[in-house]
Amino acid sequence: MAKVRVNAVQVTRMRTALLEWYESGRRDLPWRRSRDPYAIWVSEIMLQQTRVAVVVDRYQAFMARFPTLGALARASEQDVLALWSGLGYYRRARMLHKAAQVIVADRGGVMPETAAELRMLPGIGGYTSAAIASIAHGEPLAVVDGNVERVLCRLAGWDASGGKGSADLRNRIEAMASRLLDPERPGDFNQAVMELGATVCLPRNPQCLVCPVSASCKTRGEHKTAPRPRIGTREVAHALCIRTPPDASGGDGRADREVLLEQRPAAASVMPGLWELPALRDGAGEADDVRMTVRHAIMQVNYIVRICDVREEDVSARTVAGGERRWVSLPEAATMALTGLARKVLGRARLLPPRNPDSEAFEAGVLASA
């Protein structure tokens, strides 16, 4: 893999072209309207492995509920997870919450300003620390995500089919990113390269005719990339148990009904602490009980999920005992930390208020940030 030699004049031209392009046509995203490091931090955590279109509404709701770092630190983990429900990768929310508490306890609520200090916090690695420090504080550090990798590989004409595991390729990408970074406007420049990868230098059918740096690009089109991981498929079944308690007011609205939910135990390896619909025993899903079938993706698995109506008196016999179970009123369920699947099912059954379709994310991002 040949080294790419770019002289100072070429670097200056590329910086200028990218920044002018970014200023004239960048997307108006809510986190770009602020230099508040807390707001930038929340957006960067949410954007990991999740599409921008999904994050926008969820980010605004999260910031309305937790407008300051102190507000987030004071909240319960269940409240934080409830706002995160459907975004997937719930460890992100837990680490965000934990780090906010650390900042309040150890730093008087003031976030660190340098990437090196930020990396000391739970859940913040090299990419996130560089993004926050460069955008909020102007620290001259290059940010390299999947979009940036693709842009730089194409500019340099590097074969990326070896995958992200190639240490040599990764080192070259990071060196090139640092070389091209505009030290006067590092935050804007980092966002410009990411924006280019998200909107123009696409994984498939890149828009080379409108690319501001196409004259410096050695690829000008699709290039070899590592094959996408294969997505597995599994079939599962869950019980939808709805009852009207004896002391109900007698109306027929959501407020008079309850749903049976189960909280995943703390030791669970995936999504501990979240509430879900009870799982059916093998063979317990009879054809005439199936209320709906939904598709749902969790990490690298596509699930085909059968949702079966189960009567209260049949719950013990037909479901697998798991964590704590509770009968929950439907209004309360809407505010709880539900798994994305549980929220999807209750929404489609018209038992919860509908959400904006664009805000329904995969449990984990099989789709890269865009």
Side-chain angles (χ1 to χ4, degrees), residues 71-280:
L72 177 61
R74 290 189 297 271
S76 70
E77 182 178 278
Q78 283 292 300
D79 285 345
V80 175
L81 293 177
L83 265 292
W84 204 272
S85 177
L87 276 175
Y89 288 119
Y90 291 91
R91 184 178 181 277
R92 296 181 298 173
R94 289 189 175 90
M95 291 297 100
L96 180 68
H97 185 221
K98 183 177 180 181
Q101 293 176 326
V102 169
I103 294 170
V104 168
D106 297 347
R107 300 181 56 90
V110 179
M111 282 186 66
E113 294 188 2
T114 68
E117 291 177 302
L118 286 163
R119 281 197 298 273
M120 303 295 289
L121 295 171
I124 296 185
Y127 165 81
T128 304
S129 62
I132 298 169
S134 66
I135 296 170
H137 302 295
E139 187 172 356
L141 292 172
V143 172
V144 178
D145 67 355
N147 284 321
V148 174
E149 286 186 0
R150 183 171 60 257
V151 169
L152 299 186
C153 282
R154 286 176 174 171
L155 282 171
W158 290 331
D159 181 350
S161 59
K164 295 183 180 180
S166 170
D168 179 62
L169 176 60
R170 180 71 185 184
N171 290 338
R172 289 176 183 272
I173 290 171
E174 291 181 350
M176 185 174 180
S178 297
R179 168 75 168 138
L180 294 179
L181 181 71
D182 189 325
E184 301 300 322
R185 298 175 58 188
D188 286 341
F189 187 83
N190 281 329
Q191 291 182 91
V193 182
M194 290 188 282
E195 183 86 343
L196 187 70
T199 63
V200 174
C201 195
L202 304 170
R204 301 289 180 267
N205 302 314
Q207 309 299 303
C208 300
L209 293 178
V210 295
C211 177
V213 292
S214 61
S216 302
C217 183
K218 296 185 180 300
T219 303
R220 298 188 188 178
E222 295 181 16
H223 71 308
K224 292 182 180 180
T225 58
R228 293 186 179 182
R230 295 184 64 179
I231 305 298
T233 301
R234 287 184 59 189
E235 294 189 14
V236 297
H238 286 267
L240 181 58
C241 312
I242 304 295
R243 74 174 186 182
T244 301
D247 57 352
S249 63
D252 58 359
R254 282 191 291 261
D256 287 325
R257 288 181 286 171
E258 295 179 333
V259 59
L260 183 63
L261 296 175
E262 182 174 282
Q263 187 178 42
R264 296 194 177 199
S269 60
V270 180
M271 296 179 283
L274 271 70
W275 293 85
E276 63 182 346
L277 301 175
L280 281 172

Side-chain angles (χ1 to χ4, degrees), residues 58 65-66 76-85 259 261 275 326 328-339 343 346 351-353 355:
R58 308 306 298 280
R65 176 67 179 81
F66 309 119
S76 70
E77 182 178 278
Q78 283 292 300
D79 285 345
V80 175
L81 293 177
L83 265 292
W84 204 272
S85 177
V259 59
L261 296 175
W275 293 85
R326 280 181 53 200
V328 180
S329 70
L330 293 175
E332 182 184 356
T335 68
M336 293 174 65
L338 303 177
T339 64
R343 191 173 294 279
L346 293 175
L351 298 171
L352 293 185
R355 272 186 171 175

Side-chain angles (χ1 to χ4, degrees), residues 229-236 295-305 362-364 366:
R230 295 184 64 179
I231 305 298
T233 301
R234 287 184 59 189
E235 294 189 14
V236 297
R295 291 182 177 272
H296 197 69
I298 301 179
M299 297 185 357
Q300 299 301 323
V301 179
N302 283 323
Y303 288 87
I304 299 173
V305 188
F362 288 122
E363 274 294 331
V366 294

